[in-house]
Amino acid sequence: MLLTTTINGRKKEILIKDDDYLLDVLRKEGYLSVKRGCDTGACGLCTVLLNGSPTLSCSTLAARAQGKQISTIEHFPVEAKKFASFMTSEGAEQCGFCSPGFTLTVIAMIKELQNPTDDEIMHYLNGNLCRCSGYVSQLRAIRNFMEEIKNENC
């Protein structure tokens, strides 16, 4: 099957098998920031944005991306760097393994939710597992990052 899709703003045609998962296709294409974790869709390491929505690529058949836009963390260098600085300033340093999927989820959340409560943020991030930092410091970093983005857009 020929998969025609757009990855990080570039149109691609990729020969895939019917049972290929999006994670495997992306990694074969060189998008190594898309990590393999649990292979069950439970950890969030493999998160990409599919038409702007967080999608677990380890449990999504590549064929479902036909005609759609896929974004990996490489598509958001400015936002990722800025978010990383907020994480560091709040003591939410991470080993980096979960960072791409976590950051993509935060970027999608900011575009989707207006002034979310802490509970709404935690619900949106459900499934993004981090073993290095406490979620309290991450929540502070997300709140501060969202405030900064809101102020920039005013």
Side-chain angles (χ1 to χ4, degrees):
M1 170 181 186
L2 186 63
L3 172 65
T4 303
T5 188
T6 303
I7 304 174
N8 295 336
R10 300 176 105 174
K11 190 167 184 160
K12 297 266 191 171
E13 290 185 340
I14 307 165
L15 192 59
I16 63 168
K17 293 185 272 179
D18 292 341
D19 61 349
D20 280 345
Y21 284 98
L22 186 56
L23 167 68
D24 299 318
V25 170
L26 290 171
R27 290 189 60 83
K28 282 180 193 170
E29 290 294 310
Y31 299 97
L32 302 180
S33 67
V34 184
K35 307 284 193 226
R36 180 176 301 286
C38 64
D39 278 335
T40 63
C43 72
L45 295 180
C46 66
T47 300
V48 297
L49 300 184
L50 193 58
N51 283 352
S53 295
T55 302
L56 300 169
S57 63
C58 76
S59 59
T60 301
L61 289 173
R64 296 197 58 138
Q66 183 69 22
K68 296 182 179 171
Q69 295 198 17
I70 302 166
S71 298
T72 68
I73 196 67
E74 290 87 1
H75 194 63
F76 300 97
V78 173
E79 296 91 335
K81 185 175 182 178
K82 184 180 278 192
F83 182 60
S85 72
F86 279 88
M87 292 286 281
T88 302
S89 71
E90 289 299 334
E93 292 93 351
Q94 300 171 307
C95 71
F97 200 65
C98 69
S99 295
F102 186 81
T103 301
L104 284 171
T105 302
V106 169
I107 289 168
M109 179 186 64
I110 288 171
K111 292 177 181 179
E112 185 178 328
L113 302 180
Q114 298 285 331
N115 300 315
T117 65
D118 288 351
D119 286 340
E120 289 172 323
I121 293 170
M122 295 305 287
H123 179 74
Y124 200 95
L125 296 173
N126 191 23
N128 284 94
L129 303 180
C130 175
R131 291 175 174 87
C132 296
S133 67
Y135 293 99
V136 173
S137 57
Q138 287 179 343
L139 186 58
R140 282 194 313 264
I142 292 166
R143 278 256 172 245
N144 292 339
F145 180 64
M146 290 175 70
E147 190 64 32
E148 176 80 13
I149 298 298
K150 185 197 276 184
N151 290 337
E152 286 177 0
N153 293 332
C154 288

